Amino acid sequence: MLKTKKVLFIGAGSMAEAIAAGMVNQEKLPPSNIVMTNKQNDQRRIELMKNYKVVALPYSEVQVQEADLIILAMKPKDAETALIELKPKVKANQIVMSVLAGISTGFMEEILPEGQPVIRIMPNTSSTIGESITAITGGQSVSMEHIELAKELFSAIGRVKVIDEEQMDVFTGIAGSGPAYIYYVLEHIEKTAQAEGFDEDLAREIAAQTVFGASKMVLDTQASPESLRKKVTSPNGTTAAGLKALKENKAGQAFAEAILSAKERSAAIRKEYEKVSV
């Protein structure tokens, strides 16, 4: 447990809750070392305090200087305002982290005091069950110690990987948007199973467990998906027939296009947000 660290969440939405809950449940930090704040929703703060025993305060009552780490978790459109408000309050040794889509380290560095350590972090929605794949990348003033601290904290919600910032848009296209792609696949497997006579609950369980088991096989064996696919595909068998239909309908190309489209949208959103007015 990192008992000496104090974390301030600015923003109290579902992602902030998932991260804070992971830190508490995995005993990365004691609840008393986690402060969560927002500017309006009093009921939300009460819920967080009740559910996780964290400290939850109105933004006007927060002592920014007391935190070791500041995690920006508001809506991305509000990031510039939040950074401008933080600028006169932050200390040089405080690490500012962002879990906001489209907010780069360069954007944060341009607003915050020179030399401020900033880290960009991209979890995905599976963080709510502790199964996220999270990417982190550091700004110009970030040390390896800062990166290791971020990795340790965010391992509370799943796996953590360090990537180059130029890879963040494609990571968003794969992992940030990826759960929705899988839900889309599951949705169609479930509907087909129901059409063939399975009831809804059984169809959903079969679909979800099939995807989960196949994914776990990749992670546990470290074998490539291609090698595992070939291993379970017998010539002229049922799997070969199913794969033939997928290939004929260009399923692989559709997934590639989905990832690249999401990547391009991520880059466009970043440009929309990063219009610094200071």
Side-chain angles (χ1 to χ4, degrees):
M1 181 178 285
L2 304 169
K3 294 182 179 180
T4 60
K5 300 299 179 183
K6 292 188 177 181
V7 177
L8 167 63
F9 285 85
I10 301 180
S14 58
M15 184 58 73
E17 179 179 5
I19 297 166
M23 290 178 180
V24 171
N25 294 336
Q26 295 297 316
E27 298 185 344
K28 300 294 183 182
L29 292 169
S32 59
N33 280 31
I34 299 173
V35 178
M36 307 192 73
T37 185
N38 59 17
K39 289 190 174 182
Q40 295 179 332
N41 194 335
D42 294 340
Q43 184 58 40
R44 177 65 175 157
R45 292 194 300 272
I46 292 171
E47 290 173 359
L48 293 170
M49 188 161 46
K50 179 180 178 181
N51 292 339
Y52 308 107
K53 312 303 180 187
V54 298
V55 180
L57 298 171
Y59 185 73
S60 59
E61 297 181 16
V62 169
Q63 299 297 315
V64 172
Q65 295 83 357
E66 294 180 0
D68 298 299
L69 300 96
I70 301 165
I71 299 178
L72 304 180
M74 75 291 297
K75 294 178 180 179
K77 68 179 180 63
D78 298 324
E80 182 178 340
T81 299
L83 287 163
I84 291 170
E85 291 177 349
L86 271 180
K87 183 176 181 178
K89 300 177 182 179
V90 291
K91 298 184 296 184
N93 62 340
Q94 289 175 305
I95 307 170
V96 179
M97 300 180 176
S98 166
V99 297
L100 309 178
I103 303 302
S104 68
T105 58
F107 179 73
M108 292 188 283
E109 288 170 337
E110 192 165 351
I111 297 176
L112 293 171
E114 185 176 356
Q116 194 78 42
V118 299
I119 299 177
R120 181 180 177 186
I121 299 170
M122 177 60 67
N124 70 11
T125 189
S126 301
S127 60
T128 57
I129 59 167
E131 293 292 348
S132 178
I133 179 69
T134 299
I136 66 175
T137 191
Q140 296 181 15
S141 300
V142 166
S143 67
M144 284 306 301
E145 183 180 353
H146 295 147
I147 293 293
E148 290 303 316
L149 175 59
K151 287 171 64 177
E152 175 67 19
L153 285 174
F154 281 82
S155 68
I157 57 170
R159 298 172 183 246
V160 183
K161 299 296 178 181
V162 179
I163 66 173
D164 295 333
E165 183 139 23
E166 303 81 66
Q167 298 174 306
M168 273 293 191
D169 288 331
V170 71
F171 179 87
T172 299
I174 298 169
S177 302
Y181 311 154
I182 302 305
Y183 300 147
Y184 187 75
V185 170
L186 289 172
E187 178 186 347
H188 284 273
I189 295 175
E190 181 183 316
K191 287 179 178 178
T192 303
Q194 287 182 262
E196 293 297 315
F198 288 97
D199 66 53
E200 182 179 7
D201 289 343
L202 182 55
R204 185 166 300 165
E205 184 176 357
I206 292 169
Q209 183 61 41
T210 299
V211 172
F212 173 77
S215 298
K216 193 171 189 300
M217 182 74 77
V218 172
L219 292 173
D220 287 356
T221 65
Q222 293 295 300
S224 72
E226 181 182 14
S227 67
L228 291 173
R229 171 178 60 78
K230 290 179 177 178
K231 187 175 181 180
V232 300
T233 306
S234 302
N236 299 317
T238 58
T239 305
L243 287 169
K244 181 174 182 289
L246 289 175
K247 291 176 182 177
E248 288 176 349
N249 286 279
K250 300 182 179 179
Q253 181 180 335
F255 274 103
E257 290 180 1
I259 291 168
L260 295 177
S261 294
K263 171 192 172 183
E264 291 171 4
R265 182 56 187 147
S266 176
I269 290 172
R270 186 180 69 253
K271 291 176 182 177
E272 290 172 14
Y273 291 145
E274 297 192 347
K275 295 176 181 177
V276 183
S277 59
V278 293

